[in-house]
DNA sequence: GCGACAG
DNA sequence: ATCTTGTCGC
């Protein structure tokens, strides 16, 4: 009996270990990339998330809630994750605060956060080793079962195809998507200036990426845009984390975007990260 | 040596 | 990530 990828399991053994040397971290990332699935391989129905109209229609049809179940019980639980940092009395960032916001049917169903000591400086390409510990700790206290993770950072758009979204997604074996505000690597296949809302531009692997040149890594996605000239909003750089293909990742980010540029789960996690930080005033 | 770099 | 009010434009 062969074991399809749909039977893959969580890989706590591949968790980001900040005590590793750079070469070892990079080797671990290659293992992560090898274990990652960059195509649709999830068990929930993306329709209510991808199609805003269908979602609101479903919410409006919740008049027959005679049962003791919540209106959106059948909808996927999408979890947004973002970090903020706490400063020492000396003035140094010594702790990371990971904020997690779980949503279902457009409503926040749970919020949890965790704080851990920082053990590694920020190094482009090794972000998951700096923030991964706090993220995994926060996810440990989450009681709802996540169907999808949305991270603030890259997934496959990474030198070794193992950005933070891919790393955490593989360790937990939960479908995940990377949502970055700037491009780490790869080559845009078109102009991204003043894109219309709802449009996307492909991002392919170049020489800096450990993948065949031309490999589709993700998309520059324009969730929001100003109506007229002068100023314009930059796109988001969306890429597969784990078990989600590039096309679907872009569709989901567009569908989960509300009135703001960032998809709602991530925007609220960002907000919560700042809010929780204030209460940690030493 | 040159260039480039998520949060 | 973080330091942060006002300000330009619709």
């Amino acid at each position: 009996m062969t074991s399809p990828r749909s039977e893959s399991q969580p890989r706590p053994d591949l968790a980001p270990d900040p005590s590793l040397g750079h070469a070892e971290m990079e080797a671990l990332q290659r293992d992560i990339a090898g274990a990652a699935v960059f195509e649709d391989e999830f068990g929930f129905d993306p329709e209510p998330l991808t199609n805003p109209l269908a979602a609101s229609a479903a919410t409006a049809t919740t008049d027959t809630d005679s049962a003791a179940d919540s209106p959106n019980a059948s909808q996927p639980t999408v979890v947004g994750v973002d970090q903020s940092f706490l400063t020492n009395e000396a003035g140094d960032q010594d702790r990371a605060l990971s904020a997690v916001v779980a949503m279902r049917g457009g409503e926040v169903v749970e919020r949890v956060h965790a704080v851990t000591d920082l053990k590694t400086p920020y190094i482009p390409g090794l972000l998951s080793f700096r923030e991964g510990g706090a993220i995994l700790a926060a996810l440990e206290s989450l009681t709802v079962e996540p169907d999808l993770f949305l991270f603030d950072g890259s997934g496959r758009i990474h030198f070794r195809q193992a950005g933070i979204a891919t790393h955490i997604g593989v360790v937990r074996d939960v479908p995940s998507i990377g949502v970055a505000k700037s491009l780490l690597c790869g080559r845009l296949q078109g102009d991204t200036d003043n894109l219309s809302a709802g449009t996307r531009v492909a991002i392919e692997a170049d020489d800096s990426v450990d993948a065949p040149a031309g490999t589709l890594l993700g998309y520059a996605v324009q969730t929001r845009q100003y109506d007229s000239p002068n100023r314009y909003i930059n796109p988001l750089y969306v890429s597969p984390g784990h078990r989600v293909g590039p096309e679907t990742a872009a569709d989901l980010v567009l569908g989960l975007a509300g009135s703001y540029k960032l998809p709602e789960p991530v925007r609220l996690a960002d907000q919560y990260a700042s809010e929780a930080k204030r209460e940690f005033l030493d």
Side-chain angles (χ1 to χ4, degrees):
Chain A
M1 54 173 87
T2 52
S3 299
R5 299 201 262 229
S6 58
E7 293 179 29
S8 66
Q9 298 288 304
R11 297 297 302 278
D13 56 306
L14 298 180
D17 180 352
S19 71
L20 297 176
H22 287 192
E24 298 173 304
M25 290 180 173
E26 296 182 357
L28 176 54
Q29 293 185 319
R30 295 189 189 92
D31 289 340
I32 290 291
V37 175
F38 299 127
E39 57 188 59
D40 290 354
E41 192 75 52
F42 47 80
F44 62 88
D45 179 11
E47 207 42 44
L49 302 182
T50 298
N51 187 336
L53 300 177
S56 52
T59 301
T61 315
T62 55
D63 41 39
T64 57
D65 54 310
S66 55
D69 56 314
S70 60
N72 305 302
S74 65
Q75 302 224 22
T77 297
V78 183
V79 174
V81 184
D82 188 28
Q83 286 67 242
S84 63
F85 297 86
L86 303 183
T87 298
N88 204 8
E89 34 273 299
D92 306 316
Q93 296 186 329
D94 63 333
R95 293 155 292 168
L97 187 162
S98 181
V100 173
V101 175
M103 299 184 76
R104 187 189 300 137
E107 301 291 306
V108 174
V109 294
E110 186 175 14
R111 298 202 306 175
V112 298
H113 69 268
V115 176
T116 63
D117 291 328
L118 284 172
K119 298 172 180 174
T120 305
Y122 166 67
I123 297 174
L126 299 178
L127 183 64
S128 65
F129 292 90
R130 176 176 168 79
E131 309 183 346
I135 294 173
L136 290 171
L139 292 177
E140 281 297 307
S141 57
L142 192 65
T143 68
V144 298
E145 212 57 52
D147 288 306
L148 176 69
F149 286 149
L150 252 53
F151 292 97
D152 62 314
S154 295
R156 195 181 191 182
I157 296 178
H158 179 276
F159 309 123
R160 291 164 292 282
Q161 306 184 81
I164 195 163
T166 300
H167 202 150
I168 305 301
V170 167
V171 170
R172 291 296 307 272
D173 192 30
V174 168
S176 70
I177 295 172
V179 181
K181 294 181 288 298
S182 59
L183 190 60
L184 174 62
C185 59
R187 180 170 182 271
L188 281 165
Q189 297 303 294
D191 195 354
T192 56
D193 289 334
N194 207 11
L195 289 176
S196 301
T199 64
R200 67 191 67 177
V201 173
I203 297 168
E204 298 182 352
D206 57 13
D207 300 317
S208 70
V209 181
D210 189 354
T215 299
L216 179 62
L217 302 177
Y219 286 98
V221 178
Q222 199 72 47
T223 56
R224 208 88 291 207
Q225 189 53 282
Y226 292 136
D227 296 307
S228 54
N230 293 333
R231 201 165 62 172
Y232 65 91
I233 299 174
N234 293 127
L236 288 174
Y237 299 93
V238 180
S239 58
H242 181 46
R243 289 175 171 277
V244 180
E247 213 69 62
T248 300
D251 291 341
L252 287 169
V253 168
L254 281 171
L256 290 166
S259 304
Y260 300 83
K261 170 179 175 175
L262 288 172
E264 213 60 2
V266 175
R267 188 182 70 81
L268 293 178
D270 184 84
Q271 196 175 269
Y272 181 39
S274 298
E275 177 187 324
K277 177 179 180 178
R278 296 171 212 158
E279 296 161 20
F280 259 80
L281 301 177
D282 293 326

